[in-house]
Amino acid sequence: MAGGVHAQQKAAARFDAAAALNVAARQPMLAERITKAFSLAGQRVLETRARRQLDDALREFDAALKELQGSAPTAEIKENYQLLEQLFDEFRGITAKPVNLQNARQLAEQNEELVWISTKGAMLLQAHTRSVRGDLIVVAGDVRTLTQRIAKLYLFRSWGIRSDVIANDLKKAEGDYRTAMGKLLASPQNTPQIKSELALAETQFLFLKQAIDRLNANATSKQELEHVAKACDNILDVMERVTSLYEAMKG
């Protein structure tokens, strides 16, 4: 028992709340990104780029998982990431299978649980740290996740995955995106640099909506699927910078 307490104290001593929150809030995005990349490659859309994204996201998820377990400030948070590790091992095993519709369906099922437990980890850390900065990091992290989820869902639609609920999934994801962005845009903590980045994200979202409109007119067009995927990734790039700026804030 004493050894366990000592190990927990050491973990707490090296715990950087803002940095850990940024890493934790990034995990759901990576889970969505992996499934999105698998679906891109399976439909021969941006295939080379998708396979690179898949490998990178798997590697990043695994490294972050080890980091979050090693720095977990409470037993509950550590247990959550131990469970996530078990889920990820199974999830990663599916990605090693041939990139086809059957395995994409299996990955889609596992993806939801992986995102859920990843999100729970971020929420536990958010509750532990309790700061305005932490709240902003988590909301910005939600936007990052939704960029990849939206792209993934349009790919699912074109491939016939979750076809019974896909319209509702898309409506909810896009609604959640606007809600989260609204919170960020209204934050009095925003610096001029953050405001500029958020304005850029809003411009990129307009491009995304245009790409979605074209895709809705031709739901299986590989070219329009490519445009939606690229637009989502462009927003993600901006939101990575925004989240880092929130992390760097004092307090």
Side-chain angles (χ1 to χ4, degrees), residues 23 27 30 34 55-69 84-85 88-89 92:
V23 172
Q27 290 292 82
L30 289 171
I34 291 164
D55 291 342
D56 289 347
L58 285 165
R59 185 167 55 253
E60 290 169 18
F61 193 102
D62 187 51
L65 194 53
K66 291 180 171 63
E67 178 182 342
L68 290 162
Q69 279 197 54
L84 187 61
E85 182 177 35
F88 181 61
D89 283 345
R92 180 167 46 187

Side-chain angles (χ1 to χ4, degrees), residues 175-245:
D176 289 346
Y177 180 98
R178 293 313 314 162
T179 298
M181 278 298 294
K183 291 178 181 177
L184 296 181
L185 290 164
S187 173
Q189 280 74 31
N190 290 340
T191 63
Q193 186 178 6
I194 291 172
K195 289 178 181 178
S196 176
E197 293 287 4
L198 290 174
L200 177 57
E202 288 288 85
T203 299
Q204 295 287 354
F205 184 75
L206 291 177
F207 294 148
L208 171 60
K209 290 298 289 182
Q210 291 169 3
I212 288 171
D213 287 343
R214 293 192 302 269
L215 180 60
N216 284 337
N218 188 0
T220 58
S221 166
K222 289 188 176 182
Q223 183 179 35
E224 299 307 337
L225 284 168
E226 178 180 321
H227 290 162
V228 168
K230 284 183 175 178
C232 285
D233 282 350
N234 288 340
I235 300 172
L236 174 62
D237 289 343
V238 177
M239 294 310 300
E240 291 278 35
R241 296 195 296 270
V242 169
T243 316
S244 294
L245 289 168

Side-chain angles (χ1 to χ4, degrees), residues 24-133:
R26 202 164 181 270
Q27 290 292 82
M29 179 277 288
L30 289 171
E32 297 282 21
R33 191 168 175 81
I34 291 164
T35 308
K36 180 209 74 174
F38 193 93
S39 299
L40 277 170
Q43 293 178 71
R44 302 282 179 88
V45 178
L46 299 169
E47 188 172 4
T48 300
R49 169 174 164 162
R51 289 183 181 275
R52 183 174 64 249
Q53 280 189 1
L54 178 64
D55 291 342
D56 289 347
L58 285 165
R59 185 167 55 253
E60 290 169 18
F61 193 102
D62 187 51
L65 194 53
K66 291 180 171 63
E67 178 182 342
L68 290 162
Q69 279 197 54
S71 64
T74 70
E76 183 182 14
I77 292 171
K78 189 175 184 67
E79 287 170 7
N80 186 79
Y81 284 110
Q82 288 172 338
L83 172 59
L84 187 61
E85 182 177 35
Q86 295 173 14
L87 294 172
F88 181 61
D89 283 345
E90 184 176 354
F91 184 78
R92 180 167 46 187
I94 300 170
T95 68
K97 296 179 179 180
V99 181
N100 57 36
L101 178 56
Q102 179 182 348
N103 291 327
R105 290 187 189 279
Q106 188 178 1
L107 198 65
E109 292 178 9
Q110 297 293 327
N111 174 82
E112 294 302 314
E113 190 170 12
L114 197 71
V115 170
W116 170 252
I117 299 300
S118 296
T119 302
K120 181 183 175 184
M123 291 173 64
L124 287 170
L125 279 167
Q126 181 184 17
H128 178 77
T129 57
R130 294 183 181 178
S131 71
V132 172
R133 176 175 61 161

Side-chain angles (χ1 to χ4, degrees), residues 4-16 67-74 78:
V5 171
H6 182 63
Q8 202 66 50
Q9 289 173 340
K10 285 178 68 178
R14 63 174 180 269
F15 178 69
D16 180 329
E67 178 182 342
L68 290 162
Q69 279 197 54
S71 64
T74 70
K78 189 175 184 67

